[in-house]
């Protein structure tokens, strides 16, 4: 996506970091045999960053976002 000019390198890095953070958290929870679904108040900053990137490339629907909040 970066080489196609759809994402900047910074956005790519943000998405990778958000994925790795969530993956590490859910993996640790799974190993402890605890639920791996993150609570709504977890990863707030990462979720906001990912939504902003989605919107910038036309993958997020602002109207659907408003109805969830």
């Amino acid at each position: 996506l970066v080489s196609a000019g759809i994402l900047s390198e910074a956005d790519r890095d943000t998405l990778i970091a958000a994925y790795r953070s969530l993956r590490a958290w859910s993996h640790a929870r799974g190993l402890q045999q605890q639920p791996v679904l993150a609570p709504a108040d977890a990863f707030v900053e990462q979720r906001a960053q990912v939504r902003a990137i989605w919107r910038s490339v036309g993958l997020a629907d602002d109207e659907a976002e408003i109805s969830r909040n």
Side-chain angles (χ1 to χ4, degrees):
L1 294 174
V2 171
S3 62
I6 296 170
L7 285 180
S8 68
E9 289 182 7
D11 285 348
R12 175 203 60 202
D13 294 345
T14 297
L15 292 174
I16 289 170
Y19 170 77
R20 287 180 177 166
S21 178
L22 176 61
R23 182 68 184 106
W25 181 87
S26 62
H27 181 70
R29 300 274 299 183
L31 288 174
Q32 297 168 5
Q33 298 183 351
Q34 295 183 9
V36 296
L37 183 61
D41 61 348
F43 305 102
V44 173
E45 183 178 335
Q46 292 93 337
R47 289 178 190 192
Q49 292 169 336
V50 169
R51 279 193 299 268
I53 294 168
W54 285 0
R55 277 193 298 276
S56 75
V57 296
L59 295 176
D61 181 356
D62 287 336
E63 204 168 302
E65 182 64 31
I66 291 168
S67 68
R68 276 195 304 216
N69 291 330

